Amino acid sequence: MLKQWPETMKTLARCQDVLAELAPGYGDDAVRLTMSDGARSLSDVFVIKSEMDLNRAANSLMRRLVALGEVHKPQG
């Protein structure tokens, strides 16, 4: 977890089961977030400046992780 984050952001990341680590080379506020559902893991780099940014990024990861597990049936 990032040391410079306020305690509220650390708590929010823990509650959403998100691992946060610095992402050097992407900018000062860039953070690599990783989320796992046990079988699959997904990570991406986001600019996180506030709790709202963290929540939005975690929701984005969760939606993509859920979509990975869905079976898409061909229509026709």
Side-chain angles (χ1 to χ4, degrees), residues 57-76:
N59 287 339
S60 173
L61 274 180
M62 179 58 76
R63 282 192 304 273
R64 287 189 267 166
L65 196 58
V66 167
L68 284 175
E70 292 178 356
V71 176
H72 298 285
K73 295 181 182 178
Q75 295 184 5

Side-chain angles (χ1 to χ4, degrees), residues 37-59:
D37 70 353
R40 291 175 303 274
S41 180
L42 185 66
S43 78
D44 204 350
V45 176
F46 298 92
V47 174
I48 309 289
K49 295 183 179 182
S50 67
E51 292 175 24
M52 186 173 64
D53 293 336
L54 177 57
N55 194 42
R56 186 178 301 125
N59 287 339

Side-chain angles (χ1 to χ4, degrees), residues 12-27:
L12 180 60
R14 279 192 302 270
C15 288
Q16 294 184 344
D17 291 326
V18 174
L19 172 66
E21 48 196 359
L22 290 176
Y26 288 96

